[in-house]
Amino acid sequence: MSELIVLGYDNPETATKAYHKVLELQRDFVVDLTGLAVVIVDADGRRHVDTPGKVVGASAAGGALWGVLFGLLFLVPGLGFVMGGLMGAVSGKLAKSGINRAFRDRVDGMLEPGRSAVVVMARKITEDKFAAGMSPFGGEVLQTSLSDEDEDELAAELGGTDS
């Protein structure tokens, strides 16, 4: 099972500090990341994304899954639905797995101009230690889970292979 956690902050400085803390928690084996990004929304509403290259890419399927999840959540949620059967099938599976339209809308509402978010996708997480490590930063927390079956189905839908 993978956890998808979105931590919303009022400013980019706090989000950047929280992002670096998540990387530290990865090094300390508190969280086993499959994806991590910081999203900063500028005053004009444009979203700027930073991802560490070494976190994503444990497998081609994992990287593809992270990319689709991220695209549907942040970059082009409307565009994905008009791009044909693949995106329709993937978004249908996402809705079934807990990443439904309501979750995406809550994430979108979190990212108003001037706000930021840290997006974490993890295979394993020691929840009490992760929460303790992240508590100094405050913020708004949204979380959902992807079962191993849902994750495998999504990866297969994207043409990846299990690792």
Side-chain angles (χ1 to χ4, degrees):
M1 179 167 295
S2 287
E3 296 296 320
L4 179 62
I5 305 166
V6 182
L7 306 164
Y9 299 100
D10 291 332
N11 61 68
E13 295 79 20
T14 304
T16 300
K17 289 176 186 175
Y19 168 85
H20 288 291
K21 182 64 176 182
V22 173
L23 288 172
E24 182 183 315
L25 293 172
Q26 160 104 347
R27 287 190 297 275
D28 293 342
F29 303 104
V30 172
V31 61
D32 182 10
L33 297 173
T34 55
L36 176 66
V38 63
V39 180
I40 298 172
V41 184
D42 65 22
D44 296 328
R46 282 178 272 157
R47 295 173 182 185
H48 306 274
V49 179
D50 186 19
T51 60
K54 293 182 180 178
V55 173
V56 179
S59 71
L65 177 59
W66 172 247
V68 168
L69 286 173
F70 200 79
L72 285 171
L73 281 173
F74 299 104
L75 302 176
V76 284
L79 184 60
F81 295 105
V82 290
M83 290 188 67
L86 175 63
M87 292 310 289
V90 169
S91 62
K93 290 190 187 317
L94 286 173
K96 189 176 79 172
S97 68
I99 305 175
N100 58 27
R101 185 72 190 158
F103 183 84
R104 292 193 307 264
D105 288 345
R106 289 176 61 203
V107 170
D108 195 48
M110 179 188 288
L111 290 173
E112 297 173 355
R115 297 208 56 193
S116 301
V118 175
V119 184
V120 177
M121 188 168 165
R123 276 184 289 267
K124 295 180 185 171
I125 188 166
T126 307
E127 290 187 21
D128 58 338
K129 291 181 180 179
F130 185 82
M134 300 308 293
S135 66
F137 306 102
E140 181 181 352
V141 179
L142 298 177
Q143 182 173 353
T144 192
S145 299
L146 282 173
S147 71
D148 292 336
E149 180 181 292
D150 288 334
E151 196 170 337
D152 289 345
E153 281 182 40
L154 287 169
E157 198 70 42
L158 296 170
T161 57
D162 296 340
S163 55

